[in-house]
Amino acid sequence: MAGRNGRTVRDLRRANRTAVLQRLYFDGPLSRFELGPATGLSSGSVSNVVADLVADGLVEEAGSVDSDGGRPRTLLRVAPGSGHMIGVDVGETRVRIELFDLTLTELARAERPLGQRRYDVDVIVGHIRDGVAEVIETAGAAPERLLGVGIGVPGIVEHTPDRGAVVHGQTIGWDAVPLEELLRSGSRLPDTVRWFIDNGARTLGQAEMWFGGGRGARNAVVVLFGSGVGACLVTPEVEHGRAVEWGHLTVRVRGRRCRCGALGCLEAYAGAESLLERWREEGGRPPADADEETALTAMLAAAYPADGTTGADPAALAVLEETAEYLGAGLSDLINLFQPERILIGGWAGLQLGAGFLPAVRRHAAAYALRHPAEQVTIDLGRLGPDAVTVGAAILPLADFFARGGRRPEAAPEGPAPAWRAVLEERAPR
C-alpha cells in the first residue's frame, strides 16, 4: 500500500533499516536510546528495526554502558563478518584487489603488475577476475556473502541500461569498453553479486570524504596524482562527488603534447609520466627498464640526496620545481572555480612526492589564485595512503547495501533497486 507521497510500507521499513545501519556504522557503538535522536525514529521503531537487524545477523551487541539511575544500556554495532566487499584499483602500474569485511577491515589482497601490455582490455579483465578469485580463496570467504565488487578505473564511466558500465578511457586507448559486460560474461561469482564501476579519482574522493581528510568538509577537491592527474569535486550541489577531467585542462597554448593527443594539458606537465620524460630530456637517467614508481623514487633521490650533500641533480630539481608550479597553477583554477575549503592530494605519485613537495605547491597555488578563496582553502596530502582507491571502490557496494536496508540483492523487494548513490550523497561521517 502506498501513502500520499508514493512510498509503501516496504519502502518505509527499508528506509528505517538504512538509517539505523548508517548511524551504527559511522557513530557506533550506540544504545537503542541513543539511536532514537540519531535517526529521528521513535523508540518503538528503533526497537523493531534493531530486532530485525539482529535477527538478520547484521547487528550485534558490543558491551554496555551505565545509564542515569537505571539499568545499563546495551551497546550495538554492525557485525563485521556479516558481509564482504571487494575493492579494485585499476591503476597505472598495477591492478590492486582487496577483500574487506563489512567494517572495511582488510582480509586479503592481491596485486597484478602491469607490464608492456598495460591496458590491454583482456589483460585487465583477466587480472580482475583472477585477483577476485585469489582474495576470496585466501580469506576463505564464501562468495555468496559477497555484497559486490567495486572497481575504480581511469577515464569517463558511462552507465548504460543494456551493457552496464562502459569506460571511455582516451589516455589508455579504451574506446567505449563494456567493462561490466566483459567481467560478468566470464565471472565465477554468483549471479547475484553486483559489479560497481566508477572513475578512480571519484572512488579516491569518496574514500577521503568518508574516512580520510575530507570528513566534515562540505566543499572539497580530492586530487589523484599518478602517471596522470585527475580530481573529484565535492560541493553541496554535487554531494556524492563528481570526477572532473582536470588533467586535461589547457595550461599552455601550443604546449607539450599530452597522452590524450591534445597540446598543453596540465597532465603533460604535472603527471608522473611527463615529469620523468622531462627529466630524461634534461639529461636525467632513470634506472633502465624501471617502472614509473621506481623511476620516480630514483628521481627524488637524485634531487634530494639522503646524505644531505651538495651533489643534487640540478635537472631533477628544476623539473620538480617546475612541476610544483604547474600543479599549483592547476589547483588555482579549482580554487577560483569552486572555492573549496579543502584540497587533498592522493595517488601514488602524490604520496611519493610527499609533504616536502607541498610548500611549493601551496605557494604557487596562492600566487595564481584569487586572494579571498585562496585564503579559505587548505592543501594537504590525503590520509588513506596507497589503498584509498580500493577502499573507495569497496564503498560502492557498501552504499548499495545500505540503500537496500541491509538486504542482499536476492532478498531485495521487486521493482527498481534503490538508488545507492543517494547513500553516497548523504556523506554520513560528520
Side-chain angles (χ1 to χ4, degrees), residues 182-266:
L182 293 172
L183 288 167
R184 284 187 179 282
S185 65
S187 174
R188 289 166 274 180
L189 298 176
D191 292 339
T192 53
V193 174
R194 294 186 167 198
W195 299 81
F196 302 84
I197 301 172
D198 215 329
N199 175 271
R202 188 164 180 267
T203 65
L204 169 68
Q206 191 63 60
E208 288 289 350
M209 295 306 293
W210 274 31
F211 301 110
R215 284 178 65 100
R218 286 176 52 79
N219 301 272
V221 174
V222 183
V223 170
L224 195 160
F225 184 2
S227 292
V229 290
C232 175
L233 167 69
V234 180
T235 70
E237 294 77 26
V238 193
E239 287 189 305
H240 59 282
R242 176 180 179 181
V244 291
E245 291 296 332
W246 174 61
H248 303 289
L249 182 81
T250 302
V251 295
R252 189 164 183 173
V253 176
R254 294 187 295 276
R256 295 177 65 89
R257 188 168 297 280
C258 178
R259 58 183 182 170
C260 76
L263 296 176
C265 293
L266 174 62

Side-chain angles (χ1 to χ4, degrees), residues 296-317:
L296 183 58
T297 299
M299 183 180 184
L300 290 170
Y304 309 110
D307 58 6
T309 65
T310 58
D313 180 342
L317 270 174

Side-chain angles (χ1 to χ4, degrees), residues 5-259:
N5 60 2
R7 300 181 73 191
T8 65
V9 172
R10 181 179 292 172
D11 293 333
L12 182 61
R13 288 174 178 167
R14 182 174 61 209
N16 290 349
R17 284 170 62 102
T18 295
V20 171
L21 276 173
Q22 284 187 269
R23 291 280 62 84
L24 286 177
Y25 192 86
F26 293 108
D27 301 330
L30 296 172
S31 67
R32 290 173 177 79
F33 179 79
E34 293 169 312
L35 277 169
T39 61
L41 300 177
S42 68
S43 59
S45 294
V46 168
S47 294
N48 290 336
V49 171
V50 167
D52 285 346
L53 294 173
V54 170
D56 291 345
L58 297 177
V59 168
E60 62 187 16
E61 294 185 0
S64 62
V65 292
D66 292 334
S67 62
D68 296 333
R71 297 171 57 188
R73 291 180 179 143
T74 301
L75 294 175
L76 303 166
R77 68 176 182 182
V78 172
S82 56
H84 299 132
M85 299 87 65
I86 289 177
V88 179
D89 175 10
V90 179
E92 293 140 332
T93 60
R94 61 176 58 85
V95 176
R96 177 180 285 123
I97 306 99
E98 297 183 55
L99 176 71
F100 301 92
D101 68 14
L102 200 62
T103 58
L104 284 172
T105 298
E106 182 189 314
L107 303 178
R109 74 163 56 201
E111 293 192 353
R112 298 290 189 274
L114 297 179
Q116 294 297 319
R117 300 171 64 198
R118 289 174 69 178
Y119 289 114
D120 182 280
V121 174
D122 291 337
V123 171
I124 296 296
V125 169
H127 284 337
I128 295 173
R129 285 177 183 159
D130 293 345
V132 165
E134 180 180 330
V135 295
I136 289 174
E137 182 179 359
T138 299
E144 59 271 14
R145 295 189 68 79
L146 196 61
L147 304 180
V149 180
I151 305 172
V153 298
I156 298 169
V157 180
E158 177 187 12
H159 296 276
T160 68
D162 53 341
R163 309 189 78 182
V166 174
V167 183
H168 304 271
Q170 187 169 326
T171 60
I172 62 173
W174 285 17
D175 182 14
V177 172
L179 185 59
E180 182 176 349
E181 187 176 70
L182 293 172
L183 288 167
R184 284 187 179 282
S185 65
S187 174
R188 289 166 274 180
L189 298 176
D191 292 339
T192 53
V193 174
R194 294 186 167 198
W195 299 81
F196 302 84
I197 301 172
D198 215 329
N199 175 271
R202 188 164 180 267
T203 65
L204 169 68
Q206 191 63 60
E208 288 289 350
M209 295 306 293
W210 274 31
F211 301 110
R215 284 178 65 100
R218 286 176 52 79
N219 301 272
V221 174
V222 183
V223 170
L224 195 160
F225 184 2
S227 292
V229 290
C232 175
L233 167 69
V234 180
T235 70
E237 294 77 26
V238 193
E239 287 189 305
H240 59 282
R242 176 180 179 181
V244 291
E245 291 296 332
W246 174 61
H248 303 289
L249 182 81
T250 302
V251 295
R252 189 164 183 173
V253 176
R254 294 187 295 276
R256 295 177 65 89
R257 188 168 297 280
C258 178
R259 58 183 182 170

